[in-house]
Amino acid sequence: MTLTIGVDVGGTKVAGGVVDAAGTVLVQARRDTPADDVAKTRDVIIELVRELASGQAIEAVGIGAAGWIDATRSTVLFAPNLAWRDEPLRDYVSAATGLPVIVENDANVAAWAEFRYGAARDADDSMVMFTIGTGVGGGIVLGGELLRGANGIAAELGHMLTVPDGHQCGCGRLGCIEQYASGSALVRFARAAARQEPHRATALLELAGGDAEAVSGPMVTAAAQAGDPVSTEAFAQVGRWLGTSLADMAQILDPQVLVVGGGVIDAGDLLLGPTRRSFADALAQRSRLPVAEIRPAELGNTAGVIGAADLARRL
């Protein structure tokens, strides 16, 4: 049985697992991320891999990292929430563990996992995945392979222009989809409406102790599930923007499946309902043509580990 290790490196945790060829995670481990220290972060990854490899016939290691990875899948060019700058992570980990290693963007590995083993496992050609969390990430599979681009940094879907001269994005542009279809946007919409119409946000404000500025994403979800109008409308706004971006992907790439993942997907139809309606409205002129189905991601927090491990097995 072929076993590989997948490691998912984020700003707060490093999660790893031993994964078999069927995409099953057999053993798991995790550590906190010392995000402000390059050497310590590297050492935590190596320690985790050694622990997982102990007593196992491991063939390779895949690392999903929250950052931009070079075309050779070896160097972290830049990581917004970590201290890595041109970090030759592959070579460090390979030298320390004696195992072949690849490094890939975290959204890409999650998308690959959903294509191979999750929501799009019945697809054999193509998929586009949006990950909706604090920001918006994404991954694209075309012709059965991850679309990586000439420099390895393709599929930054969160930074497609949506609203000209719109909200300032962390990337420096104005009006990126990340500012309208992310968990952060959900909270911003809800807070603004709660300030303007507190009588329509009673459930939400009760959760926030009466302070609109204390509203959080989980509060918006809980209040929307309880029927709070402001919270429900915040999800509708996010869904409207997300649906139009998914429609753009359908027009440009014609994928077999569109997948929506990330933490906000836990809200279920509160998000997917308005997303699907907006998507259908945007593609009304294509009513006689095949169009991709929108599906929720299935693998949750294990997607990064599974996808990284499978890419290591393949490459």
Side-chain angles (χ1 to χ4, degrees):
M1 180 170 58
T2 303
L3 300 179
T4 53
I5 290 173
V7 181
D8 185 10
V9 185
T12 60
K13 67 175 175 62
V14 179
V18 177
V19 183
D20 67 16
T24 303
V25 181
L26 305 176
V27 183
Q28 298 185 68
R30 62 176 291 168
R31 301 283 192 281
D32 293 334
T33 305
D36 58 350
D37 190 310
V38 172
K40 286 183 180 178
T41 301
R42 179 197 314 146
D43 291 345
V44 163
I45 295 168
I46 291 168
E47 176 186 308
L48 191 70
V49 170
R50 285 173 172 165
E51 175 188 333
L52 290 167
S54 178
Q56 306 271 11
I58 301 299
E59 295 198 353
V61 177
I63 300 172
W68 286 272
I69 314 301
D70 76 332
T72 65
R73 285 176 159 145
S74 63
T75 301
V76 183
L77 301 173
F78 177 78
N81 300 313
L82 297 163
W84 286 329
R85 304 292 184 270
D86 295 317
E87 172 73 3
L89 186 61
R90 181 191 66 186
D91 293 344
Y92 277 125
V93 177
S94 183
T97 63
L99 292 166
V101 176
I102 67 157
V103 183
E104 182 56 271
N105 171 266
D106 61 337
N108 278 352
V109 299
W112 182 252
E114 292 292 344
F115 179 72
R116 290 275 287 137
Y117 303 108
R121 60 186 175 274
D122 58 335
D124 58 4
D125 176 74
S126 51
M127 178 204 76
V128 176
M129 177 171 166
F130 278 73
T131 54
I132 313 300
T134 303
V136 174
I140 298 171
V141 176
L142 289 178
E145 301 290 341
L146 273 171
L147 178 67
R148 304 190 69 249
N151 301 297
I153 54 177
E156 286 293 330
L157 302 184
H159 301 293
M160 297 187 299
L161 181 64
T162 298
V163 180
D165 299 320
H167 288 287
Q168 177 79 49
C169 184
C171 74
R173 301 181 76 196
L174 299 177
C176 292
I177 186 61
E178 183 166 294
Q179 297 305 306
Y180 296 88
S182 63
S184 299
L186 177 76
V187 170
R188 190 180 74 244
F189 293 147
R191 286 177 178 173
R195 286 194 301 267
Q196 294 164 8
E197 299 180 281
H199 62 284
R200 301 184 67 244
T202 53
L204 179 60
L205 288 171
E206 183 178 349
L207 291 172
D211 181 6
E213 297 309 309
V215 165
S216 66
M219 291 177 191
V220 180
T221 300
Q225 289 170 337
D228 182 81
V230 158
S231 301
T232 302
E233 289 166 13
F235 273 106
Q237 287 189 72
V238 169
R240 178 166 65 88
W241 292 113
L242 178 59
T244 59
S245 290
L246 289 167
D248 288 343
M249 291 294 100
Q251 295 279 32
I252 296 166
L253 298 175
D254 187 27
Q256 289 172 293
V257 182
L258 293 161
V259 177
V260 179
V264 179
I265 198 63
D266 292 342
D269 281 345
L270 286 169
L271 175 64
L272 290 178
T275 297
R276 288 176 171 134
R277 289 191 291 273
S278 172
F279 178 76
D281 289 345
L283 294 177
Q285 79 283 8
R286 288 189 57 171
S287 59
R288 290 186 174 85
L289 301 175
V291 66
E293 179 185 359
I294 298 173
R295 301 175 184 173
E298 295 181 1
L299 299 178
N301 293 332
T302 63
V305 168
I306 294 170
D310 194 62
L311 286 171
R313 180 178 295 105
R314 288 167 56 85
L315 298 173

